[in-house]
Amino acid sequence: MNAATSRANATKERILDVAERLFAEQGVFAVSNRQISEAAGQGNNAAVGYHFGTKSDLLRAIVRRHAEPVEVRREQLVAECGDSREVRDWLTCLVLPSVEHHASLRDSTLARFTAQLMSDPSLRELVVSEALSGPTLMRVMDGLNDCLPDLPLRAKIVRNDMTRHVLVHMMAEQERALAEGAARLTWEETAENVIDALTGLWLAPVTG
């Protein structure tokens, strides 16, 4: 890798870091590419467009760079899970990789950034396509379904939606609490509590 390529890669990483933080703190639609370029220390206000293209392309790049290490970890856990018939095992495969990745980040704003995207109908599909549709995640959902053959399809769909909301927003709450110095749990304890809660959710009886 030559010096020019190294500088370009460093600039792109800096832009991604700054953009993620600004989006998390101020909102995706409140931050312009120009503001990101300036905050990233770029003399050229068009730096974001030059390196990434549109704002959607930038958002996709942020999501993708975090999705890759999470997917690698999930592959490991799924391999260890094998053909388990325990709901908790599959929920561990779902929750733990994401929480571990957030815990590994210093001064992270990722969870709050993701929560914003998942709460906006125009942006949710971007996250789904980049981070929530891989083959390993599909294997996790198949494992859950195999554990609960008598659970009606409508209940599975609703509980899948609830699972996504619990995981996304509990990670955002934990991240916010840590940033404010008000965290009551560690990331590890957060993972255990979310897995406990989701296990109860999936095993709850269907009454209607």
Side-chain angles (χ1 to χ4, degrees), residues 160-191:
N160 180 58
D161 291 342
M162 294 170 70
T163 296
R164 182 178 65 249
H165 285 292
V166 169
L167 178 56
V168 168
H169 291 286
M170 283 305 300
M171 288 194 297
E173 286 299 317
Q174 172 67 5
E175 186 181 85
R176 182 180 296 106
L178 285 168
E180 295 173 353
R184 292 174 293 180
L185 302 174
T186 64
W187 277 113
E188 182 179 0
E189 290 168 336
T190 297

Side-chain angles (χ1 to χ4, degrees), residues 134-152:
T136 308
L137 195 56
M138 295 302 101
R139 177 68 188 99
V140 171
M141 299 314 299
D142 287 343
L144 270 176
N145 289 331
D146 290 343
C147 291
L148 300 164
D150 297 326
L151 188 65

Side-chain angles (χ1 to χ4, degrees), residues 118 123-134 164:
M118 291 300 292
L123 299 173
R124 185 184 302 118
E125 184 55 35
L126 186 151
V127 181
V128 171
S129 63
E130 290 294 334
L132 300 177
S133 60
R164 182 178 65 249

Side-chain angles (χ1 to χ4, degrees), residues 27-203:
V28 170
F29 297 109
V31 179
S32 68
N33 284 0
R34 181 189 181 97
Q35 289 173 299
I36 295 168
S37 295
E38 291 175 350
Q42 301 304 303
N44 182 356
N45 289 328
V48 171
Y50 173 78
H51 288 288
F52 295 99
T54 66
K55 178 175 281 189
S56 292
D57 294 328
L58 175 61
L59 293 170
R60 194 175 301 278
I62 296 172
V63 173
R64 186 180 296 140
R65 77 164 175 166
H66 291 294
E68 291 172 356
V70 171
E71 179 69 9
V72 169
R73 176 60 172 141
R74 185 167 288 125
E75 287 176 354
Q76 296 173 345
L77 291 176
V78 166
E80 294 170 5
C81 203
D83 295 321
S84 175
R85 304 290 291 183
E86 296 295 327
V87 167
R88 186 182 178 86
D89 289 344
W90 292 108
L91 289 171
T92 298
C93 293
L94 177 68
V95 172
L96 198 57
S98 293
V99 176
E100 286 180 343
H101 180 65
H102 283 77
S104 73
L105 303 173
R106 182 178 179 180
D107 299 325
S108 174
T109 53
L110 172 62
R112 285 166 287 176
F113 164 77
T114 304
Q116 284 198 47
L117 267 59
M118 291 300 292
S119 298
D120 190 298
S122 67
L123 299 173
R124 185 184 302 118
E125 184 55 35
L126 186 151
V127 181
V128 171
S129 63
E130 290 294 334
L132 300 177
S133 60
T136 308
L137 195 56
M138 295 302 101
R139 177 68 188 99
V140 171
M141 299 314 299
D142 287 343
L144 270 176
N145 289 331
D146 290 343
C147 291
L148 300 164
D150 297 326
L151 188 65
L153 177 60
R154 65 182 185 280
K156 290 180 180 179
I157 293 172
V158 171
R159 294 180 189 195
N160 180 58
D161 291 342
M162 294 170 70
T163 296
R164 182 178 65 249
H165 285 292
V166 169
L167 178 56
V168 168
H169 291 286
M170 283 305 300
M171 288 194 297
E173 286 299 317
Q174 172 67 5
E175 186 181 85
R176 182 180 296 106
L178 285 168
E180 295 173 353
R184 292 174 293 180
L185 302 174
T186 64
W187 277 113
E188 182 179 0
E189 290 168 336
T190 297
E192 289 299 319
N193 275 272
V194 170
I195 293 168
D196 287 344
L198 292 179
T199 299
L201 187 156
W202 279 90
L203 293 175

